Amino acid sequence: MTMITVWLNNQAIECQSQQSLIELVEQLTLPTVGAAIAINQAIITRSDWSTTVLNHNDQITLFQVIAGG
């Protein structure tokens, strides 16, 4: 099985090649409530998380949406 490196908030993460974004989210138990994810500075809609395949050296940014008032 081939492993690749992706970058999550500037931290190197090893994952399987052909792994989907949702698989990485579940593997790392990332927070999903109020979360937005960008890959290479492009926001990925939640409905596309399961079909978005990660590539070597992808830059993944996890944002937590904070409501304020």
Side-chain angles (χ1 to χ4, degrees):
M1 183 171 307
T2 304
M3 299 299 284
I4 62 172
T5 300
V6 297
W7 296 85
L8 175 62
N9 293 346
N10 297 316
Q11 180 179 356
I13 304 287
E14 295 287 319
C15 66
Q16 300 170 17
S17 68
Q18 302 301 308
Q19 187 167 343
S20 71
L21 179 57
I22 191 65
E23 289 171 330
L24 182 70
V25 166
E26 291 171 352
Q27 173 189 325
L28 299 176
T29 60
L30 298 175
T32 57
V33 176
I37 297 178
I39 297 179
N40 302 324
Q41 300 180 347
I43 296 289
I44 308 299
T45 60
R46 191 174 300 261
S47 61
D48 289 337
W49 288 8
S50 62
T51 56
T52 300
V53 175
L54 302 175
N55 296 299
H56 184 62
N57 281 329
D58 273 349
Q59 300 287 326
I60 304 167
T61 308
L62 173 68
F63 301 95
Q64 284 300 120
V65 179
I66 300 171

